[in-house]
Amino acid sequence: MTMLVLDLKSVPDPAVGKRLLALEKFSDAEAILAMKTLRVAAHQSAAVPALQRRVVAAALVVASADHFAVEEFVAAGNEAEMLAAIEQRVSAAQAPVWAWDAAGSYRPQLLARALATGTAIPALLTAQGPQGLSAHFGFQRDAAPLAELAAVYALPHRLGLRSADTEAAHARGDVDALRGGSAVDALIAYLLGVALKAATGEIDAAARLAERQQVCQWLGAQPAPHWQQFHAVWKAL
């Protein structure tokens, strides 16, 4: 059976901020600053919520008994095309889509971006998906951040991207950082899922070892710097 694990990287959408706060005359940077400042003034987190963010990069783990790959996507100025490409890949795989904390942000965000871009993404949203790996294993919402649990399991969590890292990489136009960070976080979510399946008895030790070896073999054949670094750090942990 094929397993799909999705990671999304997003940044505040100034177009939404301008409409929401009546800032049409202001620059994108000013609109984003206002979006954050007003939240702080209201004693909220400065992090812009999922509905007000646009997706700039994504990664999709595609794993089965005889195939493993992490497919990488970057918006490159056209978010709708990127979402359509992900949708096409998910539709072709005909498998449920998982993400680490899907219920918390991914589904609302994908629904909002489908509205914003006019893109139909039924395969991504089918069966109330993407489904959340953290919730599947009984973690309460926001109780098991990906990076923290990755550190517990000795995975190279520092090679992924948190929200602030994503915004900084996008601001400086670092496409490689966005692509690599999303891909790493998708792989970390997959590896945590495999380990937790073994811990909860969904798979046995032999299946866990086989899936880990499959990932190691795939990593060893990847020329991209982020995968070479991941492989080296993982082996050293």
Side-chain angles (χ1 to χ4, degrees):
M1 180 179 178
T2 299
M3 182 176 183
L4 306 177
V5 179
L6 178 68
D7 181 83
L8 300 175
K9 296 302 178 211
S10 63
V11 298
D13 186 348
V16 173
K18 289 178 183 181
R19 290 192 290 268
L20 188 64
L21 303 174
L23 298 173
E24 288 84 355
K25 296 181 179 180
F26 291 81
S27 69
D28 286 357
E30 289 169 331
I32 291 171
L33 179 61
M35 293 165 79
K36 296 182 177 182
T37 302
L38 290 175
R39 289 184 58 80
V40 172
H43 303 288
Q44 299 172 318
S45 165
V48 175
L51 294 183
Q52 299 175 34
R53 303 177 71 89
R54 58 192 175 100
V55 182
V56 294
L60 184 70
V61 173
V62 182
S64 65
D66 58 359
H67 174 77
F68 182 88
V70 183
E71 302 185 11
E72 303 170 6
F73 306 85
V74 178
N78 195 322
E79 184 183 8
E81 283 189 4
M82 183 185 68
L83 291 174
I86 300 169
E87 169 69 18
Q88 184 178 27
R89 186 65 187 89
V90 169
S91 180
Q94 295 185 330
V97 182
W98 295 84
W100 183 247
D101 189 22
S105 60
Y106 279 22
R107 184 173 177 82
Q109 187 169 66
L110 286 169
L111 286 166
R113 299 323 295 171
L115 288 174
T117 63
T119 308
I121 47 175
L124 275 167
L125 296 171
T126 190
Q128 294 301 305
Q131 300 175 54
L133 282 166
S134 60
H136 175 76
F137 293 110
F139 291 108
Q140 295 298 313
R141 180 174 173 180
D142 299 327
L146 182 67
E148 288 185 25
L149 210 58
V152 170
Y153 189 49
L155 291 171
H157 63 93
R158 290 190 180 90
L159 301 182
L161 287 181
R162 307 288 72 78
S163 182
D165 301 326
T166 299
E167 292 178 24
H170 183 263
R172 64 178 184 266
D174 193 342
V175 174
D176 289 339
L178 292 171
R179 179 188 291 111
S182 186
V184 163
D185 283 334
L187 179 56
I188 286 174
Y190 171 77
L191 290 170
L192 284 174
V194 170
L196 288 167
K197 282 183 178 182
T200 57
E202 290 186 36
I203 61 174
D204 60 22
R208 173 184 177 177
L209 179 60
E211 294 188 39
R212 185 183 178 99
Q213 289 176 336
Q214 185 185 48
V215 173
C216 287
Q217 290 174 358
W218 180 83
L219 282 170
Q222 302 309 304
H226 55 276
W227 291 133
Q228 292 181 356
Q229 187 177 12
F230 186 99
H231 200 195
V233 173
W234 190 22
K235 289 192 295 184
L237 291 173

